[in-house]
Amino acid sequence: MDALDDLLDAERAALLQGNLDDVSRLHARKERLIDALNREDALDAQSFLPLQNKVARNQDLLNSALEGVRSVARRLAAIRRVRKSLETYDAQGKKTQVDIRTERSVEKRA
């Protein structure tokens, strides 16, 4: 239980720092520790409460981090769309999309 407690603290620190690589590396170890605890018969439910609270706290942080990543992905997709087309409104208020074609060419000079 102490190892899992320490790991959950490390996971929280990594989440707060935005270090998703460390979070990913800790995940496999966390699963092994939880599996080992599940095999123990002598543990009472009260001893799990602090760990359960930490797991829930870290899950909330992880969900927030994932939503941040999704938000960035949506913003980047919107920027890519803007580069390809322009949305505008006509005098009647109807939305119109104008495709923007950019031709990229390389001029070779001797």
Side-chain angles (χ1 to χ4, degrees):
M1 285 183 61
D2 290 338
L4 181 58
D5 188 59
D6 292 342
L7 183 134
L8 291 170
D9 288 338
E11 181 182 56
R12 179 179 188 270
L15 284 164
L16 291 174
Q17 293 172 2
N19 192 340
L20 298 180
D21 287 336
D22 281 354
V23 172
S24 178
R25 281 191 285 276
L26 292 170
H27 182 73
R29 188 171 153 221
K30 181 170 68 171
E31 282 184 338
R32 285 192 305 272
L33 289 171
I34 290 172
D35 287 343
L37 284 175
N38 285 334
R39 288 189 297 270
E40 294 291 323
D41 294 329
L43 298 173
D44 64 307
Q46 285 296 327
S47 61
F48 280 106
L49 192 57
L51 291 177
Q52 189 176 17
N53 291 337
K54 284 186 177 187
V55 167
R57 174 198 64 194
N58 288 2
Q59 187 62 47
D60 289 341
L61 289 171
L62 185 58
N63 289 340
S64 295
L66 289 173
E67 184 53 40
V69 169
R70 288 182 192 116
S71 177
V72 168
R74 285 190 300 268
R75 181 69 180 134
L76 289 173
I79 289 171
R80 282 191 294 273
R81 278 193 310 274
V82 168
R83 288 183 184 167
K84 294 179 182 178
S85 66
L86 171 69
E87 289 183 349
T88 185
Y89 294 89
D90 64 14
Q92 289 76 33
K94 182 180 172 188
K95 187 168 29 172
T96 305
Q97 183 171 331
V98 178
D99 290 332
I100 300 172
R101 295 182 188 207
T102 58
E103 294 190 27
R104 297 179 184 181
S105 64
V106 177
E107 183 180 327
K108 295 182 181 180
R109 294 186 182 191

